[in-house]
Amino acid sequence: MGVSNHWSECRKIKELADLFVSKRTFLAGNWTMQRAQYGEQPDWALIVLASMIGQVGLSGGGFGFSMHYGGNAQASSGARIVPMISQGHNSVKSVIPASRVSEAILNPDKEIDFMGKKLKLPKIKMIHNCGADLLGHEADTNELIRALRTLDCVIVHESWWTPTAKFADIVFVSTSAMERDDITFGGSYSKNVVYAMRKVIEPVYESKDDYEIFGQLALRIGGNETEQKFTESKSYMEWIKSLYEKSDGPTLKSFDQFWRDGFVEFEIPENARKFVRHAKFRQDPINNKLDTESGKIQIFSQKCADFKRADSKGHPTWFEPAEWLGSKMAETYPFHLISAPKIPCQFTA
């Protein structure tokens, strides 16, 4: 049975290889494979495979990541969309990888390898969590629970009684998207639509939007001067209007008309409709360099090789993860869940 399965898999690999090179093939990566042990390897291998197929920069060919969300290197309408709200100045300069939160709390001052350098983990006494479900994000939930229990204080903004909220000392009840006005952008082909996100219902009970919560905190911490520094003396709706006015929306609709209609849509120019990812790089790789060491697609990276890590060889390699269906652990726990919306796809034409 084992030999039969092996030959069946080999035939399928050959079939796919023949299909990839005989048809125009685009390989779409995702975030799921990367968010696992040795997760950078399959993404890197996908880029190498696309390069071996030889269709990078051709219409309908090549590779891409984040197609489901961020859509990096996508076609553009050329119109200015709404910018982000002002971020102000953050006096805290230290940063850590998102996956090392538990480790930082439990092991302050520990040195870890990060981007080829040594990084000392900071001493964390308090967490103020807003805009993410912390317990649902970390890889080892039990470790994070142990870590949270050692902190002096945990503050959480939440609309629901999530596990993260249950482990907080203070919960600021924030409004859901249905209870607050907002503004965003999108589009089916490029970023060519600005949307008015009008609230559906009034805030329930004493819930407040995050902007008001932070404004009230600023007021209590430093008085009117600190509050005005945070809000820049603008109300929530004034911020929405000012962001809209920084887009190209006002050339087509006034803010009041936009807010009534719920959207403003820009024309997509013909050159955007003919956009091909990496086409300029393929046509002239010297003058259209990529943001890599060599300016090219890198099958080998000297920079990664110089890290001299056992789990990084400078090129994509198979490393057996602790948990997968071929591992010893799977003999006892033969269930492997992969998030369905982010399963890699392959298109042929």
Side-chain angles (χ1 to χ4, degrees):
M1 179 63 72
V3 174
S4 176
N5 286 340
H6 172 74
W7 285 112
S8 176
E9 291 169 358
C10 288
R11 284 195 298 271
K12 181 58 66 176
I13 291 172
K14 185 179 185 302
E15 179 185 343
L16 285 172
D18 290 340
L19 180 64
F20 288 172
V21 296
S22 63
K23 304 286 186 180
R24 190 60 60 85
T25 301
F26 178 82
L27 300 177
N30 59 80
W31 291 354
T32 300
M33 294 188 298
Q34 186 269 335
R35 292 183 173 182
Q37 189 178 17
Y38 311 120
E40 65 280 0
Q41 301 300 326
D43 281 0
W44 198 351
L46 183 143
I47 295 172
V48 173
L49 175 59
S51 302
M52 293 170 66
I53 294 170
Q55 298 173 10
V56 175
L58 298 179
S59 178
F63 64 91
F65 298 90
S66 192
M67 306 297 292
H68 62 288
Y69 175 63
N72 56 328
Q74 295 283 58
S76 172
S77 65
R80 288 184 303 168
I81 54 175
V82 288
M84 294 177 61
I85 195 170
S86 172
Q87 298 299 294
H89 174 72
N90 191 344
S91 59
V92 178
K93 301 302 180 184
S94 60
V95 295
I96 61 172
S99 61
R100 312 298 279 269
V101 172
S102 303
E103 191 172 1
I105 296 171
L106 295 171
N107 302 279
D109 296 328
K110 176 183 177 181
E111 282 196 341
I112 63 170
D113 293 323
F114 181 59
M115 301 295 290
K117 299 178 181 178
K118 292 294 182 182
L119 174 67
K120 180 179 286 189
L121 296 175
K123 182 174 179 59
I124 300 174
K125 296 182 179 181
M126 171 183 169
I127 283 181
H128 190 147
N129 183 63
C130 177
D133 185 5
L134 185 62
L135 270 175
H137 185 273
E138 291 296 295
D140 191 333
T141 303
N142 290 325
E143 181 184 58
L144 180 56
I145 289 173
R146 291 196 302 272
L148 292 177
R149 285 172 170 162
T150 69
L151 295 174
D152 293 345
C153 183
V154 177
I155 301 174
V156 172
H157 293 227
E158 262 298 358
S159 305
W160 298 275
W161 195 234
T162 63
T164 301
K166 292 177 182 178
F167 280 92
D169 299 296
I170 300 172
V171 178
F172 291 130
V173 184
S174 57
T175 53
S176 67
M178 299 295 179
E179 301 168 276
R180 61 174 178 263
D181 293 319
D182 212 333
I183 189 169
T184 190
F185 59 86
S188 59
Y189 183 75
S190 62
K191 297 173 182 176
N192 67 308
V193 184
V194 178
Y195 295 103
M197 298 176 64
R198 299 179 304 225
K199 62 185 175 184
V200 177
I201 61 172
E202 292 299 318
V204 175
Y205 304 112
E206 297 181 54
S207 60
K208 295 175 173 58
D209 60 68
D210 295 323
Y211 180 77
E212 183 177 357
I213 292 172
F214 283 120
Q216 289 294 314
L217 285 173
L219 177 64
R220 284 160 172 76
I221 291 170
N224 292 329
E225 183 179 349
T226 302
E227 181 195 21
Q228 289 175 4
K229 188 175 181 180
F230 169 72
T231 64
E232 298 184 19
S233 300
K234 292 179 183 177
S235 68
Y236 194 86
M237 185 53 72
E238 285 173 338
W239 266 112
I240 292 175
K241 185 177 181 180
S242 68
L243 293 175
Y244 176 74
E245 290 174 345
K246 289 180 180 178
S247 75
D248 283 333
T251 63
L252 301 177
K253 294 180 181 180
S254 68
F255 177 77
D256 291 340
Q257 184 65 47
F258 157 73
W259 199 251
R260 285 194 297 270
D261 294 346
F263 72 96
V264 61
E265 185 172 1
F266 307 108
E267 286 292 327
I268 300 175
E270 193 60 31
N271 63 344
R273 295 186 183 279
K274 295 179 180 179
F275 171 82
V276 177
R277 188 188 300 255
H278 296 121
K280 291 182 178 180
F281 169 72
R282 184 185 184 95
Q283 293 163 5
D284 187 353
I286 302 299
N287 293 312
N288 296 290
K289 295 180 180 181
L290 302 179
D291 190 17
T292 62
E293 298 165 61
S294 63
K296 304 175 182 178
I297 295 174
Q298 295 209 207
I299 295 176
F300 174 81
S301 168
Q302 187 62 55
K303 181 178 180 179
C304 289
D306 289 344
F307 291 166
K308 300 188 183 302
R309 292 185 55 86
D311 58 358
S312 178
K313 301 298 183 183
H315 56 82
T317 308
W318 164 252
F319 294 103
E320 182 174 354
E323 298 180 4
W324 71 294
L325 288 179
S327 66
K328 285 288 185 181
M329 186 179 293
E331 296 175 4
T332 305
Y333 305 102
F335 181 69
H336 194 169
L337 175 65
I338 297 178
S339 177
K342 298 177 182 177
I343 291 177
C345 301
Q346 181 269 329
F347 304 99
T348 60

